[in-house]
């Protein structure tokens, strides 16, 4: 996804990390989850956690911007697109663009949604709210969503030299402008609760924050 913020283009697709840079804490959590019928990897990027996601679900949807899904890049050691990699490596998986999800909506059929290191890369309030609303609407009653954010990193002092924006900073590097949002667990909870999410658990592992929430069951009067 690309954003025009205060006259500068922010190419958030460049923030996606390789599968070689996965967090052991996130990987261990995903592998330990009970099997689900249908799982979404929201903001799948370069399929950083795709093996873990596929291993716990009968059906998987990998969601990201149309640009991230379709452009040619290195995906899990192969020069290809995310869409092509998914179609040739994961039999029970499909892709969905963020743009399509916004325009057409998503059925409330997912047992679990993974959203790892995504919120910190969205530099626009409207898009951030749209992303959270899509996740809420995609969950079935009782379905859970995991929000993971790295709220400290080795480059944090570098980002702080940029200008303040939303929850973090806009920084100009060698590849252009990037946004780094400091999404602490408290910030994430404050964003989720007003939308109707129920908080299940909140914890941290070193510099990685985890917020696990669920969509409440619908009560029929």
């Amino acid at each position: 996804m690309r954003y025009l913020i205060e006259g500068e283009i922010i190419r958030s697709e460049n923030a996606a990390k390789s599968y070689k840079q996965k967090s052991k804490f996130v990987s261990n959590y995903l592998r330990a989850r009970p099997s689900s019928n249908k799982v979404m990897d929201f903001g799948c990027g370069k399929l950083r956690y795709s093996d873990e996601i596929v291993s716990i679900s009968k059906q998987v949807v990998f969601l990201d911007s149309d640009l991230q899904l379709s452009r040619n890049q290195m995906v899990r050691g192969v020069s290809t697109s995310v869409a092509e990699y998914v179609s040739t490596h994961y039999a029970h998986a499909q892709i969905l663009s963020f743009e399509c999800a916004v325009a057409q909506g998503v059925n409330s059929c997912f047992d679990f949604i993974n959203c790892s290191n995504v919120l910190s890369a969205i530099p626009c309030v409207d898009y951030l709210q749209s992303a959270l609303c899509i996740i809420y609407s995609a969950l079935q009653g009782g379905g859970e969503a995991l929000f993971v954010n790295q709220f400290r990193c080795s480059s944090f002092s570098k980002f702080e030299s940029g200008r303040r924006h939303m929850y973090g900073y806009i920084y100009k590097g060698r590849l252009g402008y990037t946004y780094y949002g400091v999404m602490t667990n408290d910030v994430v909870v404050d964003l989720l609760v007003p939308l109707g999410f129920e908080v299940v658990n909140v914890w941290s592992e070193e510099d990685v924050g985890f917020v696990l929430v669920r969509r409440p069951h619908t009560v029929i009067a």
Side-chain angles (χ1 to χ4, degrees):
M1 187 74 73
R2 294 180 181 175
Y3 306 88
L4 181 63
I5 306 295
E6 298 176 11
E8 308 295 349
I9 296 177
I10 296 178
R11 303 171 186 266
S12 65
E13 71 271 13
N14 292 334
K17 302 296 184 183
S18 161
Y19 75 107
K20 295 181 179 180
Q21 297 173 279
K22 65 179 66 177
S23 162
K24 65 180 180 181
F25 303 116
V26 177
S27 181
N28 290 343
Y29 173 86
L30 292 174
R31 290 191 180 279
R33 274 194 66 88
S35 295
S36 297
N37 182 53
K38 197 163 187 178
V39 171
M40 176 187 289
D41 191 10
F42 188 98
C44 63
K46 298 181 179 181
L47 304 179
R48 191 179 187 186
Y49 297 106
S50 57
D51 282 354
E52 290 86 346
I53 294 291
V54 169
S55 72
I56 62 170
S57 181
K58 297 177 182 178
Q59 293 179 281
V60 177
V61 171
F62 293 102
L63 183 149
D64 213 302
S65 69
D66 183 67
L67 176 64
Q68 184 68 284
L69 296 173
S70 62
R71 70 185 181 123
N72 194 76
Q73 58 183 314
M74 291 302 295
V75 181
R76 302 187 68 85
V78 181
S79 179
T80 184
S81 68
V82 170
E84 181 66 21
Y85 190 95
V86 169
S87 69
T88 56
H89 289 78
Y90 301 127
H92 303 292
Q94 62 188 64
I95 63 164
L96 175 65
S97 72
F98 177 79
E99 292 87 345
C100 184
V102 170
Q104 301 180 13
V106 183
N107 291 332
S108 304
C109 59
F110 290 88
D111 309 294
F112 175 66
I113 297 178
N114 175 61
C115 184
S116 294
N117 296 104
V118 176
L119 305 187
S120 59
I122 302 177
C124 174
V125 172
D126 290 343
Y127 277 90
L128 181 60
Q129 287 295 306
S130 293
L132 298 178
C133 289
I134 288 171
I135 292 173
Y136 185 87
S137 63
L139 287 172
Q140 63 181 11
E144 294 183 337
L146 178 71
F147 293 87
V148 180
N149 292 279
Q150 187 171 2
F151 52 83
R152 287 191 301 269
C153 69
S154 58
S155 301
F156 186 68
S157 59
K158 174 184 72 175
F159 290 118
E160 282 188 309
S161 67
R163 68 175 184 269
R164 288 284 305 179
H165 179 73
M166 284 176 59
Y167 301 100
Y169 306 88
I170 291 177
Y171 172 80
K172 185 178 182 181
R174 62 183 182 85
L175 296 178
Y177 287 90
T178 58
Y179 169 72
Y180 181 83
V182 186
M183 309 302 290
T184 63
N185 286 343
D186 287 343
V187 168
V188 175
V189 168
D190 286 346
L191 284 170
L192 298 178
V193 170
L195 297 177
F197 290 98
E198 290 182 348
V199 177
V200 177
N201 197 9
V202 178
W203 73 99
S204 296
E205 301 282 359
E206 295 183 357
D207 58 355
V208 181
F210 295 78
V211 177
L212 181 66
V213 295
R214 73 163 60 96
R215 176 174 177 168
H217 288 282
T218 301
V219 177
I220 301 177

